[in-house]
Amino acid sequence: MDLRSGADTVHRVRRAVLALAVGAGVLGAPAPAGAEDGIDPYLDRTAESADTPSLHWSDCQDGFRCATAQVPLDYNRPRDERIELAVIKLPATDPGRRIGTLFVHFGGPGASGVDRLRERARWPWLFSEELRARFDVVSWDSRAVSRSAPVHCFATEDEQTAFLAAMPAMPATPAEDPPFYDWSARFAERCAQQAGPILNHASTADTARDLDLLRRAVGDPLLTYHGISYGTQVGAVYANMFPGRVRAMVFDGSLDFEGNVNGHDGQGTKVPLDTRQNVADAISATFDAFLRQCSAAGPRCAFSAGDPKLKWIALIERARLAPIELDGRAWTYSTIVNAAAGLSQPSAFPDLAALLQRLFDAGTALPGLLPASASSMGNRTEAYHAIQCTDSTVPTDTGIYSRAAVSEDQRVPYFGRVAVFSSITCAFWHGHAADRYTGPWNRHTAAPILVLNNRFDPATPLAGAYDGAAQLARAQVVVTEGVGHSSMYVPSTCTELVKREYLFTGGLPPEDTHCTADRSPFDPGPVL
């Protein structure tokens, strides 16, 4: 039985209309995979002129192998300054049946691919034993991130910790806007002073070029790829810069690519980044799904007694009047909203429910849900902005954000402001990439692309996944009836099987394919 809602059908119709427009030349016909001389006319020439890196693999514990790859800092000057990328591999367990290399980008931007592959390479719902038997699984720290020419905006870790800890809470009223803007501007200025040349060479286009060099370095003629969250943007850029080199690509928790870069119909300079991506709607819908799951779980969910929706409204409106003191910490309206918006990992739902109940009862807070310290995040904050602010056109007038905060707060109660202010630092950013990729997105790839998305995803809304897929020349969306961000955090044996078979064969599943999550976050059993 197909569980997709009518909204799914609407997006399929929209995609069909867009496809017809492309075919008619209204949006530009799909590009050919090659020209008469056998050379892809859309192949990125700057990457072609760069040397293929040499990867000298060495053991780095637990069956992993590690290497570094030298790539150009500036692809327009491929023989000048080089930077090193940290690369990690989990070799195929059945070399005799090995298909090739599966490159994985875990998203962010700013997260360490090396660390995440170490942590997650053996998660069975993400990379099954069958999948790991047939592929070397490879990830890397993207340029500007962690071990790969990292962006540093502070002279010392102590300075970083102190500055990031002093970040004002998300503004809950117009009076709180100015100090939030001031802190964001000062952060951008520190990065301009401290980061060095990488600040102008951190775009997704350059990461796509790096990926093609890594593909060449492992000896694969075509790319096999699994991109998660922001990793789908990396994949879409690669697919359009190197369309003839796509063997198979999975976009998991997928973006609206044009919306992320420029917005639609002139939104870029007028609408905040996550607002135009409808992130607030997605957070709100996901939070409602969390409350429904909590209610259905009964005593297994700490916030289930009574009506969780009414309890949430009572709690948050009480916090709007004055902070709630718990265990020596003042929980403001903004800090509670941001805690409630942290819905990417369903494994944390029981702790979130317990926190909300303790706040409701004026009990004790849960230390595990406190914001991570700056020191535990490495350079993720700096790297996120270096990449996202370079890639995306955003409004630079703070008045636009202030007005949007008011209107979005009315349109999407409680969560509208989260999307407005999430990328405010980009309004002040100094980094610039002369050749960031801005489209087109519909170049004809050598293979079709599989798009996976959860029904309720707070970070990559399902509507955006459909819109992004419609922008691609050949793509199909498979929906998982789950709550949370990507298949990385919403285990589904069905979804993994769909992905695995596609990566093995390159063939898309039947059009009516859909999946369900393996379990509710409140079901008894081990924490995932």
Side-chain angles (χ1 to χ4, degrees):
M1 177 179 174
D2 193 342
L3 299 178
R4 291 173 301 181
S5 70
D8 296 13
T9 304
V10 169
H11 287 287
R12 292 179 71 187
V13 171
R14 181 191 301 179
R15 181 182 170 195
V17 171
L18 284 171
L20 288 171
V22 168
V26 177
L27 299 179
E36 290 182 2
D37 60 2
I39 299 174
D40 188 337
Y42 297 115
L43 195 65
D44 183 78
R45 297 299 168 194
T46 58
E48 286 298 283
S49 62
D51 295 331
T52 300
S54 296
L55 297 176
H56 302 289
W57 297 103
S58 61
D59 291 335
C60 52
Q61 299 182 335
D62 299 325
F64 290 95
R65 297 181 65 78
C66 294
T68 57
Q70 287 198 346
V71 299
L73 170 69
D74 182 350
Y75 275 93
N76 293 304
R77 297 179 158 184
R79 301 292 183 272
D80 289 355
E81 184 177 353
R82 306 289 184 92
I83 59 174
E84 289 192 339
L85 306 180
V87 188
I88 188 170
K89 171 173 70 173
L90 187 63
T93 59
D94 188 351
R97 300 173 61 233
R98 177 181 173 275
I99 295 172
T101 300
L102 173 62
F103 285 95
V104 182
H105 195 298
F106 287 93
S112 166
V114 170
D115 292 345
R116 287 196 165 179
L117 191 67
R118 278 194 181 279
E119 296 164 357
R120 303 169 188 188
R122 296 182 175 94
W123 285 6
W125 67 89
L126 193 57
F127 306 112
S128 63
E129 290 183 4
E130 293 85 354
L131 183 66
R132 289 188 288 106
R134 307 292 301 278
F135 288 101
D136 295 339
V137 184
V138 170
S139 191
W140 76 106
D141 288 353
S142 300
R143 57 174 57 216
V145 175
S146 192
R147 304 165 185 83
S148 298
V151 169
H152 289 301
C153 301
F154 305 93
T156 66
E157 186 176 307
D158 288 344
E159 182 182 334
Q160 178 203 42
T161 300
F163 189 90
L164 296 182
M167 179 181 181
M170 178 190 72
T173 67
E176 296 173 0
D177 291 353
F180 192 75
Y181 298 151
D182 177 66
W183 183 94
S184 301
R186 288 187 289 114
F187 175 51
E189 182 61 34
R190 281 176 179 258
C191 291
Q193 294 172 356
Q194 295 278 347
I198 190 64
L199 208 65
N200 294 321
H201 299 284
S203 72
T204 298
D206 278 334
T207 290
R209 296 181 179 105
D210 293 342
L211 177 56
D212 199 56
L213 264 61
L214 292 176
R215 176 199 60 79
R216 285 159 47 183
V218 300
D220 282 10
L222 300 173
L223 181 74
T224 306
Y225 179 80
H226 181 191
I228 301 170
S229 193
Y230 161 72
T232 68
Q233 189 81 18
V234 174
V237 172
Y238 182 97
N240 285 278
M241 290 175 64
F242 305 95
R245 291 187 175 158
V246 174
R247 177 191 170 273
M249 302 188 91
V250 176
F251 293 175
D252 184 358
S254 194
L255 292 168
D256 167 359
F257 311 115
E258 178 64 16
N260 188 49
V261 172
N262 286 323
H264 300 279
D265 302 320
Q267 288 179 317
T269 59
K270 300 174 184 176
V271 183
L273 177 60
D274 281 347
T275 300
R276 68 187 189 230
Q277 296 273 55
N278 296 314
V279 168
D281 303 80
I283 295 173
S284 182
T286 304
F287 186 71
D288 284 345
F290 156 77
L291 294 176
R292 291 195 299 271
Q293 286 188 332
C294 176
S295 182
R300 297 195 305 275
C301 175
F303 199 58
S304 64
D307 185 329
K309 182 71 171 180
L310 294 179
K311 287 170 65 178
W312 161 253
I313 294 172
L315 165 63
I316 199 62
E317 291 302 330
R318 185 171 63 179
R320 196 193 293 271
L321 297 174
I324 298 173
E325 296 287 339
L326 287 179
D327 199 26
R329 178 182 179 186
W331 286 81
T332 66
Y333 173 87
S334 292
T335 55
I336 296 174
V337 166
N338 277 287
L343 297 162
S344 290
Q345 300 186 42
S347 60
F349 284 10
D351 284 349
L352 174 58
L355 172 64
L356 295 179
Q357 185 62 43
R358 292 185 181 190
L359 286 166
F360 187 80
D361 294 334
T364 57
L366 296 180
L369 286 173
L370 299 181
S373 68
S375 60
S376 71
M377 296 183 69
N379 82 322
R380 281 193 63 179
T381 301
E382 295 98 315
Y384 168 84
H385 289 94
I387 298 166
Q388 190 70 69
C389 300
T390 295
D391 272 1
S392 300
T393 300
V394 300
T396 57
D397 177 2
T398 56
I400 290 175
Y401 294 87
S402 294
R403 291 189 293 273
V406 174
S407 61
E408 285 296 290
D409 204 18
Q410 294 172 346
R411 190 181 71 83
V412 187
Y414 313 122
F415 300 111
R417 289 174 171 269
V418 175
V420 170
F421 291 119
S422 58
S423 299
I424 183 63
T425 299
C426 293
F428 307 99
W429 200 249
H430 299 277
H432 172 72
D435 55 355
R436 73 184 181 115
Y437 191 82
T438 60
W441 304 102
N442 63 338
R443 287 174 174 164
H444 192 82
T445 50
I449 294 170
L450 174 64
V451 178
L452 307 174
N453 223 84
N454 295 325
R455 171 73 61 193
F456 298 105
D457 189 316
T460 52
L462 179 57
Y466 274 116
D467 288 343
Q471 292 155 25
L472 301 170
R474 293 196 290 166
Q476 179 181 325
V477 179
V478 173
V479 177
T480 300
E481 301 296 334
V483 181
H485 182 38
S486 81
S487 72
M488 183 161 62
Y489 297 129
V490 181
S492 169
T493 303
C494 168
T495 303
E496 198 280 335
L497 179 60
V498 168
K499 175 184 72 179
R500 182 202 322 164
E501 292 303 312
Y502 163 76
L503 291 174
F504 285 174
T505 68
L508 292 173
E511 280 282 342
D512 62 350
T513 300
H514 64 279
C515 287
T516 58
D518 287 347
R519 65 193 293 271
S520 164
F522 299 104
D523 286 345
V527 176
L528 300 174

